[in-house]
Amino acid sequence: MKKLLSVLLMLCPAVLFAQGSKVFDNLTLNSKILKSERKFAIYLPPDYETSGRSYPILYLLHGAGDDQTGWVQFGEVQNITDKAIRDGGATAMIIVMPDGNTGRRGYFNDIKGDWNYEDFFFTELMPYVEKKYRVKSEKRFRAISGLSMGGGGTFVYALHHPELFSSACPLSAATGFLTLEDAKTGIARNNPNVTFADSTVNNFYNKYSVLPLINAMTDANKKAVRWFIDCGDDDFLYEGNGLVHNLMRKKEIPHEYRIRDGAHNWTYWRASLPVVLEFVSQAFHQY
């Protein structure tokens, strides 16, 4: 009987595998920068509790209107990642999904200087997670991806810190203001009771819009990050992604650019996630 059970277990690794991964979607850490408790979700791969080894990490950012549970509930991150690992398309990894929707919405430092989410991400969240969990902390084992607002965060974080991420995968990304004039109009509209100096608006545009960040990229950083950019042909953010792609081609920045049939919705992003997992795993595995 014991031998029969052993044979059955050997023949059914998928059954054991499906029980192995864990997702926690209501974890918190205290942020001194944002003066609040910040939530995040985490995916731990199937053998995390038993292996004792360290893992590569993917930071996965949600879009506007969602929170740290978006990729868990609507993106089906656990089922999709389990399958990708089981089928050999992705290596086992930790996935961290922070909340960018509470207090204020977004992943950037506010232009008024009183809500510095980007500072929180790099000086509080990332060190906390990578100390608490068994994470391989070298650049080659760290990647970032996200959709819509989180795609914008992916672009900006990887462009600000190419020394930290081996791969970046913006999906249906909000690429920021397309021109300085757009920035002036948009910032004034979003802050009707505040007047900003031209230099403040210029600096914010150059720091948090993707096109000027790409324009400012040095030759030394052109191959620092592996880029995978994905956007649906019916997506309302198609124009910005196309402009970024064209500029990256002009500046000879290597990148993968995919346009598929689809719109700005979870059907599209669930189909994108397995490709993202495979793409970042190419660096995690070693080429």
Side-chain angles (χ1 to χ4, degrees), residues 6-80:
S6 297
V7 171
L8 289 173
L9 291 175
M10 291 176 63
L11 293 174
C12 303
V15 175
L16 294 178
F17 188 102
Q19 299 172 350
S21 68
K22 297 285 191 303
V23 168
F24 302 93
D25 66 1
N26 197 35
L27 302 174
T28 62
L29 73 154
N30 183 59
S31 170
K32 294 181 180 178
I33 292 173
L34 300 181
K35 300 179 177 61
S36 61
E37 288 288 320
R38 303 303 306 177
K39 291 185 177 182
F40 67 96
I42 194 165
Y43 166 92
L44 300 176
D47 56 351
Y48 181 84
E49 293 182 349
T50 57
S51 72
R53 70 183 182 89
S54 297
Y55 294 82
I57 187 166
L58 169 66
Y59 290 91
L60 188 59
L61 310 182
H62 65 77
D66 285 324
D67 57 23
Q68 81 282 357
T69 66
W71 274 107
V72 176
Q73 181 176 0
F74 306 119
E76 299 178 12
V77 67
Q78 185 172 21
N79 290 336
I80 290 173

Side-chain angles (χ1 to χ4, degrees), residues 19-275:
Q19 299 172 350
S21 68
K22 297 285 191 303
V23 168
F24 302 93
D25 66 1
N26 197 35
L27 302 174
T28 62
L29 73 154
N30 183 59
S31 170
K32 294 181 180 178
I33 292 173
L34 300 181
K35 300 179 177 61
S36 61
E37 288 288 320
R38 303 303 306 177
K39 291 185 177 182
F40 67 96
I42 194 165
Y43 166 92
L44 300 176
D47 56 351
Y48 181 84
E49 293 182 349
T50 57
S51 72
R53 70 183 182 89
S54 297
Y55 294 82
I57 187 166
L58 169 66
Y59 290 91
L60 188 59
L61 310 182
H62 65 77
D66 285 324
D67 57 23
Q68 81 282 357
T69 66
W71 274 107
V72 176
Q73 181 176 0
F74 306 119
E76 299 178 12
V77 67
Q78 185 172 21
N79 290 336
I80 290 173
T81 307
D82 281 356
K83 184 178 188 303
I85 296 171
R86 183 173 63 243
D87 294 348
T91 189
M93 68 184 78
I94 292 170
I95 301 177
V96 173
M97 296 154 278
D99 174 21
N101 199 57
T102 301
R104 295 186 200 173
R105 179 178 291 180
Y107 298 101
F108 305 154
N109 290 352
D110 192 276
I111 190 170
K112 295 187 293 295
D114 58 350
W115 182 264
N116 295 324
Y117 192 97
E118 182 181 11
D119 294 349
F120 155 75
F121 184 94
F122 285 103
T123 64
E124 292 183 328
L125 175 68
M126 185 181 287
Y128 175 85
V129 166
E130 298 191 8
K131 181 178 180 181
K132 183 175 178 61
Y133 299 94
R134 299 196 309 276
V135 172
K136 292 178 179 289
S137 58
E138 301 96 324
K139 164 187 166 134
R140 59 167 290 195
F141 297 113
R142 187 185 297 111
I144 188 165
S145 181
L147 65 90
S148 193
M149 179 181 80
T154 299
F155 264 126
V156 169
Y157 284 7
L159 289 165
H160 284 179
H161 293 284
E163 78 283 1
L164 292 180
F165 300 104
S166 58
S167 305
C169 305
L171 310 175
S172 310
T175 56
F177 299 112
L178 301 184
T179 68
L180 180 57
E181 288 305 311
D182 288 344
K184 291 177 180 178
T185 301
I187 289 170
R189 182 178 61 247
N190 295 333
N191 300 273
N193 300 317
V194 184
T195 300
F196 298 103
D198 286 347
S199 59
T200 301
V201 174
N202 291 351
N203 289 338
F204 189 83
Y205 167 70
N206 288 325
K207 186 172 184 179
Y208 288 115
S209 293
V210 178
L211 289 172
L213 284 170
I214 296 291
N215 256 324
M217 184 184 291
T218 64
D219 289 343
N221 279 329
K222 285 184 177 180
K223 296 182 179 179
V225 177
R226 301 170 62 252
W227 292 97
F228 176 86
I229 304 165
D230 184 10
C231 189
D233 58 356
D234 295 320
D235 197 303
F236 70 94
L237 294 174
Y238 179 92
E239 180 185 8
N241 284 266
L243 290 172
V244 169
H245 162 62
N246 290 336
L247 182 58
M248 292 178 86
R249 288 193 64 179
K250 182 178 180 180
K251 290 183 65 69
E252 299 182 339
I253 299 167
H255 65 289
E256 299 292 328
Y257 181 61
R258 298 290 179 269
I259 296 295
R260 295 185 288 109
D261 180 33
H264 200 81
N265 56 39
W266 279 108
T267 301
Y268 191 89
W269 302 319
R270 282 191 294 268
S272 296
L273 184 56
V275 185

